[in-house]
Amino acid sequence: MLLLQSKKIMAIVAGSLIVACSYYIFQKPNGITAPGLGGIAVYLANFLHSPLGFIYFILNIPLFLMGYRSIGSTFALLSLIGMLTLSFFLAFLTNLPTFPSPIIGCVLGGLLSGIGIGIVIHAGGTTGGLDIASVVIAKHFSFITIGKTMMIINGCVLILTFLGSGLAHTVLTFFSIIFAGKAVDLTVSLIQWKNKKEADYE
């Protein structure tokens, strides 16, 4: 049991690292808003002139409590680890090298952030933010996948992007969110398929 929990925690840390790196390397330098609560946190951090990691942590508190009440203590604990590690990486990885190319940043930023989130979700947690709301909604409405739920919720991020950055950045953010949502579903499905194959051979 302890080994299983350790593997889950390592997966959550790795997934959170991928999400943070994709933001600073591909999304931020190309004016692409991060999906979910991260995008809202970016706008608030710029407006309030506060550290992004701190703002992201504060915004997560009510959503974290919702996840605890709806899904349980294990999910809440693993999501807390994901939230804290992503907040940490967002606070301390600000000087990563950047890749200023809007199209490539849109594609790779979306795909990598989706892969990172998918790894964390498969481990039983989330990176916090609207991922928690997505998991809660997907639990109660099984016909809606987590990735699709995230794309629906991210509509508010697109509105903020349009109001703050204009049409061009909104289009890039829109496609980045789509790539991220698809990558989440694909990553979770591939890991489940891999684990099933390994179980069949045992």
Side-chain angles (χ1 to χ4, degrees):
M1 179 63 70
L2 181 61
L3 179 61
L4 177 60
Q5 293 301 322
S6 298
K7 288 182 177 179
K8 287 184 176 182
I9 292 172
M10 291 174 61
I12 289 171
V13 173
S16 299
L17 177 61
I18 293 172
V19 173
C21 288
S22 69
Y23 172 70
Y24 282 121
I25 295 174
F26 295 108
Q27 293 174 324
K28 184 179 180 181
N30 295 298
I32 300 168
T33 307
L37 192 68
I40 298 173
V42 168
Y43 279 98
L44 285 177
N46 291 334
F47 179 75
L48 298 173
H49 304 289
S50 299
L52 176 58
F54 173 75
I55 295 295
Y56 184 75
F57 174 79
I58 295 299
L59 291 178
N60 265 291
I61 293 175
L63 292 170
F64 174 79
L65 294 175
M66 181 180 70
Y68 174 78
R69 293 186 62 182
S70 299
I71 299 182
S73 58
T74 300
F75 170 79
L77 177 60
L78 293 175
S79 292
L80 177 62
I81 293 171
M83 178 181 69
L84 291 175
T85 53
L86 181 56
S87 297
F88 173 83
F89 290 136
L90 287 174
F92 291 98
L93 296 180
T94 56
N95 294 320
L96 288 175
T98 60
F99 196 89
S101 173
I103 301 300
I104 295 177
C106 169
V107 175
L108 291 183
L111 290 177
L112 286 177
S113 63
I115 289 171
I117 292 170
I119 291 172
V120 174
I121 288 175
H122 184 268
T126 70
T127 55
L130 298 182
D131 300 350
I132 296 177
S134 298
V135 171
V136 171
I137 291 172
K139 178 187 178 184
H140 293 289
F141 301 95
S142 58
F143 59 91
I144 303 178
T145 65
I146 292 172
K148 290 179 181 177
T149 305
M150 290 172 62
M151 286 190 282
I152 294 171
I153 293 175
N154 274 308
C156 63
V157 175
L158 291 175
I159 294 173
L160 284 174
T161 304
F162 178 74
L163 294 175
S165 303
L167 182 60
H169 291 297
T170 302
V171 172
L172 289 173
T173 299
F174 171 73
F175 283 106
S176 182
I177 288 172
I178 290 179
F179 286 129
K182 295 295 184 182
V184 168
D185 287 339
L186 182 60
T187 300
V188 172
S189 297
L190 285 176
I191 295 176
Q192 289 176 342
W193 175 82
K194 177 178 176 293
N195 290 343
K196 184 176 183 301
K197 285 292 183 180
E198 291 177 350
D200 290 341
Y201 283 117
E202 292 179 355

